[in-house]
Amino acid sequence: MGPVTGLDSPIPCSVARQFENIAYADGYYVGGGPLTRQDPANVICEPPQLRVEKEGPPEAKAGDDISYDVCAYNDSPDVALANCMASDTLPITDLAFPPAPFDLAPGGNFCYSYDYTVPTGAPDPLPNTATVECEVVGVSQDPITANSKIDDSDDWDVPLFVIEGYMVKTCSPDPVMVDEDICWDITVYNTGDRDFDCTVTDTVVPGWDTGVALPGTVAPGGSQSLGPVCRTVELGEAGSTISNTASAVCTPSNTAYTNLIEVCDHPDADCSADCEVPPVVTPVCRTPGFWGTHAGTEKEGRSFNLAQEVIDYSDSTFGTGDGT
C-alpha cells in the first residue's frame, strides 16, 4: 500500500460548528490495478456556552430602592459572542439599563447593575428574570441549535416585608365633670414584620408635651402602651370639649431600615381623643314660704323644696310617717 494522502486540513470551531473530515489511502492490488479507500468522519464542535448570573437584595419592602447585579459569561473555549443584548422582566426605569450592546470573547464576561423601586402592592416575593442574547461569531446558523444566536437567563426573587403599625389614643371618663380626673391612654400596635420603637408627643397630656418613649420595643403582632396619665378638670373648662391629637416618631429597631413608620396614617389609627365637660349648674335653695305657693315646680338639678327635704328627712330618720 502506498502512502496515506488527502487528509483534510482542520477547520477551527470558531468558523464552523460542524464539518466533515475524510481520510484517503491509495494503493495497488498485488498483480493488479490501483486501490483507493476513504473513511469520512463528522466532527461536531462543542456548542457555544453563554451563562447569565443575577443577584439582588435578600429582602426589601415597598418604596425601597434596590439594586440588581447581572453578569454574562462566555464559557466557550474558542467561540466569540457579539452584539449581546440585555433585557429584564421588571419595568426598569434606571437610565443605566439596558447597557449598550457588548461582545464576549472566549472565556470573557461582562457585568452590569441597575436600580429598581419596589412599588406598593408588588407581589411577594418580587419575581425578576434577567436575559442576555448574543450572536455567535462566524456562524450563519448553528447546526446544533439551528440558530445563529444564543441566550441565557437567571432569576432572582426578593422576599418582601412590611414595617407598619398604628396608634390609638383614648380619654376617660366621657363626659367628665369639673373637679373630676380626666385620664389619657395611648397604645401603639405593630401590624408589620419588623420591630420598631416610638417616641410619643402630646401637648395636652402632662409629661408628654416634650416627648416620651414607649416603655419597650413594639414587636410584630404586639403593642406598647402609655398611661393612664390623669389631671383634674378645672372650672374654666366647664361646657367645653377637651380635645387634642398626639403624634409619634417611630423608627425600625434595625438601623439598616431608615424609614419612619407613620402610625397615625394607618386605617385603624385614632390619634385624637375628645372628652366632653358639661356646664356647671349651681343649685338654687328656696325657703319654705316660697314652696308654700310653688310646690311641685322643682327643676331637676337646679332647685329643690327645702321644706319638703326636711319633712322627708324626718320621716326617714324617726319613722313617724306623718311629717311631724
Side-chain angles (χ1 to χ4, degrees), residues 171-192:
C171 68
S172 62
D174 184 24
V176 58
M177 308 301 292
V178 170
D179 293 332
E180 289 184 347
D181 283 345
I182 181 173
C183 300
W184 290 274
D185 295 89
I186 284 179
T187 301
V188 177
Y189 299 88
N190 187 338
T191 57

Side-chain angles (χ1 to χ4, degrees), residues 63-85:
D64 280 353
D65 291 326
I66 60 178
S67 296
Y68 291 102
D69 300 308
V70 181
C71 286
Y73 299 89
N74 183 355
D75 292 333
S76 304
D78 53 10
V79 179
L81 303 176
N83 198 30
C84 298
M85 306 288 289

Side-chain angles (χ1 to χ4, degrees), residues 56-136:
E59 60 180 10
K61 65 183 185 309
D64 280 353
D65 291 326
I66 60 178
S67 296
Y68 291 102
D69 300 308
V70 181
C71 286
Y73 299 89
N74 183 355
D75 292 333
S76 304
D78 53 10
V79 179
L81 303 176
N83 198 30
C84 298
M85 306 288 289
S87 62
D88 201 284
T89 55
L90 287 177
I92 306 299
T93 58
D94 190 338
L95 295 179
F97 183 86
F102 55 91
D103 299 334
L104 292 173
N109 67 80
F110 180 83
C111 297
Y112 56 94
S113 302
Y114 50 89
D115 295 332
Y116 177 71
T117 301
V118 181
T120 301
D124 181 20
L126 177 67
N128 180 229
T129 301
T131 299
V132 174
E133 183 182 67
C134 302
E135 296 177 357
V136 181

Side-chain angles (χ1 to χ4, degrees), residues 9-298:
S9 299
I11 301 176
C13 283
S14 59
V15 175
R17 306 309 308 146
Q18 176 175 309
F19 54 87
E20 185 178 54
N21 194 327
I22 303 176
Y24 299 91
D26 296 328
Y28 296 91
Y29 290 105
V30 176
L35 172 67
T36 300
R37 294 287 186 269
Q38 65 183 32
D39 186 20
N42 287 327
V43 179
I44 299 177
C45 296
E46 182 179 348
Q49 300 177 50
L50 173 64
R51 173 169 51 94
V52 173
E53 293 187 356
K54 179 173 187 174
E55 292 186 356
E59 60 180 10
K61 65 183 185 309
D64 280 353
D65 291 326
I66 60 178
S67 296
Y68 291 102
D69 300 308
V70 181
C71 286
Y73 299 89
N74 183 355
D75 292 333
S76 304
D78 53 10
V79 179
L81 303 176
N83 198 30
C84 298
M85 306 288 289
S87 62
D88 201 284
T89 55
L90 287 177
I92 306 299
T93 58
D94 190 338
L95 295 179
F97 183 86
F102 55 91
D103 299 334
L104 292 173
N109 67 80
F110 180 83
C111 297
Y112 56 94
S113 302
Y114 50 89
D115 295 332
Y116 177 71
T117 301
V118 181
T120 301
D124 181 20
L126 177 67
N128 180 229
T129 301
T131 299
V132 174
E133 183 182 67
C134 302
E135 296 177 357
V136 181
V137 174
V139 178
S140 59
Q141 188 177 77
D142 191 327
I144 306 301
T145 62
N147 200 332
S148 62
K149 295 183 178 181
I150 186 173
D151 64 75
D152 191 42
S153 300
D154 193 23
D155 301 326
W156 188 272
D157 292 344
V158 180
L160 300 183
F161 64 91
V162 177
I163 301 181
E164 67 174 15
Y166 65 95
M167 182 167 69
V168 174
K169 177 181 179 180
T170 62
C171 68
S172 62
D174 184 24
V176 58
M177 308 301 292
V178 170
D179 293 332
E180 289 184 347
D181 283 345
I182 181 173
C183 300
W184 290 274
D185 295 89
I186 284 179
T187 301
V188 177
Y189 299 88
N190 187 338
T191 57
D193 305 319
R194 297 293 186 272
D195 296 347
F196 61 81
D197 301 283
C198 294
T199 297
V200 175
T201 302
D202 193 315
T203 57
V204 172
V205 180
W208 295 355
D209 53 333
T210 58
V212 57
L214 291 177
T217 294
V218 190
S223 63
Q224 290 287 333
S225 298
L226 288 174
V229 172
C230 306
R231 70 168 176 84
T232 301
V233 177
E234 300 177 355
L235 179 60
E237 296 174 299
S240 68
T241 300
I242 299 178
S243 175
N244 70 304
T245 301
S247 61
V249 177
C250 299
T251 56
S253 303
N254 186 340
T255 56
Y257 312 130
T258 58
N259 65 302
L260 297 178
I261 300 99
E262 302 295 342
V263 292
C264 287
D265 292 342
H266 193 281
D268 295 328
D270 189 359
C271 295
S272 300
D274 301 332
C275 277
E276 301 292 333
V277 184
V280 174
V281 177
T282 303
V284 178
C285 180
R286 300 295 187 178
T287 64
F290 176 87
W291 291 117
T293 57
H294 294 80
T297 63
E298 298 87 348

